[in-house]
Amino acid sequence: MKKLFCVSGFLSTPSTWEFLNKFNFVVCPHSPEDFIKKKLSEVFTAEGADVLVGYSLGGRLCLRALADGSCRPLAAIIISANPGLTSDDERRRRLATDQEWANDFRTEPWEELLAAWDRQTVFGGRICRYDRFEKDFDRESLAQILDGFSLGRQPDLRSQLEKLEIPILFIAGEDDGRYSRLAKEMTRINPKFKHWIAPNSGHRVPWEVDEKILVSEMKKFLEELE
């Protein structure tokens, strides 16, 4: 069984990957906060992991480590993640938005902040199905993540990803139109890439789709590595 190095998204913690344990996966769970001071590739190597798995912001961190060649797993599973905006104007607007959110995460009341976060179009009005208790987070670290790891600071990785020699499975929810299109686009830039569109789910695929269906797709992909 391959050892999975799982990186959660913003406002999700390593515990959100615990559901994989009951399916006999060997999982090394991490959050973006773990990579403020350490490189993802260094931690991946230290863990002795085989496969990168990243969701949303965590997926973008994985893609950056793959694109710059610092991380060399056997394969990767990338869920609801953007390979990069394609214009400087888009990046400037996104960075400004993320910096506003960063300020909010330093100062605003927690429950009001979560409600505002969940109202973003990307989540499609769906309820978040995992806990996000304030005590589990450091507000300053969240602000640093939003600014430092902003999609506005990420280059467009497409030209680097198309040269990768490892298989990647891109996953997105069928009700998440933007990321479904991105997942399909990725399979067109590299023949080693595949995509799977998860039924009855939006952006937070692992916690919206039926677990057994998701795990079945993951295992089918990983079995092809044998």
Side-chain angles (χ1 to χ4, degrees), residues 59-70:
R60 287 199 287 107
L61 294 179
C62 291
L63 287 176
R64 292 187 72 165
L66 291 169
D68 66 20
S70 63

Side-chain angles (χ1 to χ4, degrees), residues 101-118:
W101 276 115
N103 288 332
D104 289 344
F105 270 90
R106 288 187 173 99
T107 61
E108 297 301 309
W110 187 253
E111 293 305 323
E112 295 176 19
L113 190 54
L114 292 186
W117 183 261
D118 288 342

